[in-house]
C-alpha cells in the first residue's frame, strides 16, 4: 500500500463543484482505492472543509510542499497528486498504481 500526497496550495482546491470542494473529489478517489493507506493534503485554509485526510500547512514553494508531505508519509513509495482532477476515481488510481509497479523508477 502507498501513502498519497495531494498538493492543494492554491484557492482552486476549495473551488466548489456540485457543492463539494474540488480537492474532496481527489481525496474520495484515493480513499476508495484499495492501494492507498494514508492521505495527506498540503494546503491552507482546509480545516473544516475536507474530510478523510491529514492536513499539512503549505508554504509558497511547491518543492517545500512536496517535501513536507514526503516527510509525513510512512511508506517507501508515495503517490503525489494535485487537487485539480475532480473526475478521477478509484479505478483510475488503481490502474495507474498497478502500471507503475511494473517499473523500477520514479514516475
Amino acid at each position: 500500500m502507498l501513502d498519497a500526497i495531494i498538493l492543494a496550495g492554491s484557492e482552486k482546491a476549495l473551488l466548489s463543484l456540485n457543492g463539494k470542494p474540488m480537492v474532496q473529489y481527489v481525496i474520495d478517489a484515493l480513499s476508495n482505492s484499495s492501494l492507498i493507506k494514508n492521505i495527506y493534503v498540503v494546503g491552507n485554509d482546509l480545516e473544516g472543509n475536507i474530510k478523510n485526510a491529514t492536513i499539512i500547512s503549505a508554504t509558497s514553494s511547491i518543492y517545500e510542499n512536496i517535501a513536507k508531505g514526503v516527510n509525513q508519509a510512512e511508506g517507501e513509495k508515495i503517490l503525489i497528486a494535485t487537487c485539480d482532477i475532480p473526475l478521477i476515481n478509484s479505478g483510475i488510481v488503481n490502474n495507474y498504481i498497478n502500471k507503475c509497479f511494473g517499473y523500477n523508477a520514479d514516475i
Side-chain angles (χ1 to χ4, degrees), residues 33-55:
S33 168
S34 59
L35 302 173
I36 300 294
K37 181 178 178 184
N38 299 305
I39 302 169
Y40 301 95
V41 181
V42 184
N44 295 316
D45 303 319
L46 299 173
E47 290 81 7
N49 291 303
I50 64 170
K51 55 186 177 182
N52 301 325
T54 300
I55 299 169

Side-chain angles (χ1 to χ4, degrees), residues 58-77:
T59 70
S60 60
S61 165
I62 190 169
Y63 303 110
E64 289 178 16
N65 291 340
I66 291 170
K68 287 179 90 169
V70 168
N71 288 336
Q72 287 288 319
E74 299 173 3
E76 181 178 311
K77 296 181 186 253

